[in-house]
mmCIF file of all heavy atoms in Angstrom:
data_model
loop_
_atom_site.group_PDB
_atom_site.id
_atom_site.type_symbol
_atom_site.label_atom_id
_atom_site.label_comp_id
_atom_site.label_asym_id
_atom_site.label_seq_id
_atom_site.Cartn_x
_atom_site.Cartn_y
_atom_site.Cartn_z
ATOM 1 N N ILE A 59 -7.381 12.453 -0.692
ATOM 2 C CA ILE A 59 -6.818 12.905 0.573
ATOM 3 C C ILE A 59 -7.824 13.773 1.316
ATOM 4 O O ILE A 59 -8.414 14.691 0.751
ATOM 5 C CB ILE A 59 -5.510 13.692 0.336
ATOM 6 C CG1 ILE A 59 -4.495 12.805 -0.373
ATOM 7 C CG2 ILE A 59 -4.951 14.227 1.651
ATOM 8 C CD1 ILE A 59 -3.250 13.529 -0.801
ATOM 9 N N PHE A 60 -8.026 13.448 2.581
ATOM 10 C CA PHE A 60 -8.904 14.223 3.446
ATOM 11 C C PHE A 60 -8.069 14.798 4.569
ATOM 12 O O PHE A 60 -7.178 14.145 5.096
ATOM 13 C CB PHE A 60 -10.002 13.337 4.045
ATOM 14 C CG PHE A 60 -10.926 12.781 3.016
ATOM 15 C CD1 PHE A 60 -10.666 11.548 2.435
ATOM 16 C CD2 PHE A 60 -12.037 13.494 2.616
ATOM 17 C CE1 PHE A 60 -11.514 11.030 1.482
ATOM 18 C CE2 PHE A 60 -12.880 12.983 1.659
ATOM 19 C CZ PHE A 60 -12.619 11.754 1.090
ATOM 20 N N ASN A 61 -8.348 16.030 4.942
ATOM 21 C CA ASN A 61 -7.677 16.650 6.073
ATOM 22 C C ASN A 61 -8.609 16.590 7.270
ATOM 23 O O ASN A 61 -9.749 17.050 7.208
ATOM 24 C CB ASN A 61 -7.294 18.099 5.758
ATOM 25 C CG ASN A 61 -6.127 18.151 4.806
ATOM 26 O OD1 ASN A 61 -5.059 17.626 5.095
ATOM 27 N ND2 ASN A 61 -6.332 18.752 3.653
ATOM 28 N N ILE A 62 -8.131 15.974 8.348
ATOM 29 C CA ILE A 62 -8.934 15.834 9.556
ATOM 30 C C ILE A 62 -8.234 16.551 10.694
ATOM 31 O O ILE A 62 -7.019 16.730 10.687
ATOM 32 C CB ILE A 62 -9.154 14.355 9.918
ATOM 33 C CG1 ILE A 62 -7.817 13.650 10.160
ATOM 34 C CG2 ILE A 62 -9.961 13.655 8.853
ATOM 35 C CD1 ILE A 62 -7.957 12.276 10.763
ATOM 36 N N ASN A 63 -9.014 16.969 11.689
ATOM 37 C CA ASN A 63 -8.459 17.602 12.878
ATOM 38 C C ASN A 63 -8.221 16.496 13.894
ATOM 39 O O ASN A 63 -9.158 15.890 14.408
ATOM 40 C CB ASN A 63 -9.434 18.635 13.426
ATOM 41 C CG ASN A 63 -8.842 19.390 14.591
ATOM 42 O OD1 ASN A 63 -7.993 18.880 15.316
ATOM 43 N ND2 ASN A 63 -9.301 20.610 14.775
ATOM 44 N N TYR A 64 -6.966 16.204 14.164
ATOM 45 C CA TYR A 64 -6.607 15.170 15.120
ATOM 46 C C TYR A 64 -5.744 15.774 16.211
ATOM 47 O O TYR A 64 -4.648 16.267 15.948
ATOM 48 C CB TYR A 64 -5.864 14.032 14.409
ATOM 49 C CG TYR A 64 -5.494 12.901 15.309
ATOM 50 C CD1 TYR A 64 -6.466 12.051 15.821
ATOM 51 C CD2 TYR A 64 -4.177 12.686 15.676
ATOM 52 C CE1 TYR A 64 -6.139 11.009 16.656
ATOM 53 C CE2 TYR A 64 -3.827 11.653 16.517
ATOM 54 C CZ TYR A 64 -4.817 10.810 17.010
ATOM 55 O OH TYR A 64 -4.484 9.782 17.849
ATOM 56 N N LEU A 65 -6.258 15.778 17.415
ATOM 57 C CA LEU A 65 -5.558 16.352 18.569
ATOM 58 C C LEU A 65 -5.130 17.792 18.321
ATOM 59 O O LEU A 65 -4.033 18.218 18.685
ATOM 60 C CB LEU A 65 -4.345 15.488 18.945
ATOM 61 C CG LEU A 65 -4.657 14.053 19.371
ATOM 62 C CD1 LEU A 65 -3.357 13.297 19.643
ATOM 63 C CD2 LEU A 65 -5.553 14.029 20.595
ATOM 64 N N GLY A 66 -5.991 18.541 17.659
ATOM 65 C CA GLY A 66 -5.747 19.956 17.447
ATOM 66 C C GLY A 66 -4.904 20.309 16.241
ATOM 67 O O GLY A 66 -4.602 21.471 16.022
ATOM 68 N N ALA A 67 -4.509 19.306 15.461
ATOM 69 C CA ALA A 67 -3.683 19.582 14.283
ATOM 70 C C ALA A 67 -4.357 18.988 13.043
ATOM 71 O O ALA A 67 -5.003 17.951 13.111
ATOM 72 C CB ALA A 67 -2.296 18.980 14.452
ATOM 73 N N SER A 68 -4.213 19.678 11.945
ATOM 74 C CA SER A 68 -4.757 19.184 10.687
ATOM 75 C C SER A 68 -3.828 18.108 10.136
ATOM 76 O O SER A 68 -2.624 18.337 9.978
ATOM 77 C CB SER A 68 -4.890 20.326 9.682
ATOM 78 O OG SER A 68 -5.427 19.844 8.475
ATOM 79 N N ARG A 69 -4.372 16.922 9.858
ATOM 80 C CA ARG A 69 -3.583 15.795 9.375
ATOM 81 C C ARG A 69 -4.181 15.269 8.075
ATOM 82 O O ARG A 69 -5.377 15.041 8.004
ATOM 83 C CB ARG A 69 -3.579 14.652 10.392
ATOM 84 C CG ARG A 69 -3.094 15.005 11.765
ATOM 85 C CD ARG A 69 -1.635 15.111 11.861
ATOM 86 N NE ARG A 69 -1.058 13.858 11.401
ATOM 87 C CZ ARG A 69 0.214 13.615 11.357
ATOM 88 N NH1 ARG A 69 1.059 14.523 11.741
ATOM 89 N NH2 ARG A 69 0.677 12.474 10.917
#
Side-chain angles (χ1 to χ4, degrees):
I59 301 173
F60 296 91
N61 287 301
I62 60 169
N63 185 332
Y64 182 71
L65 298 177
S68 181
R69 304 283 304 180

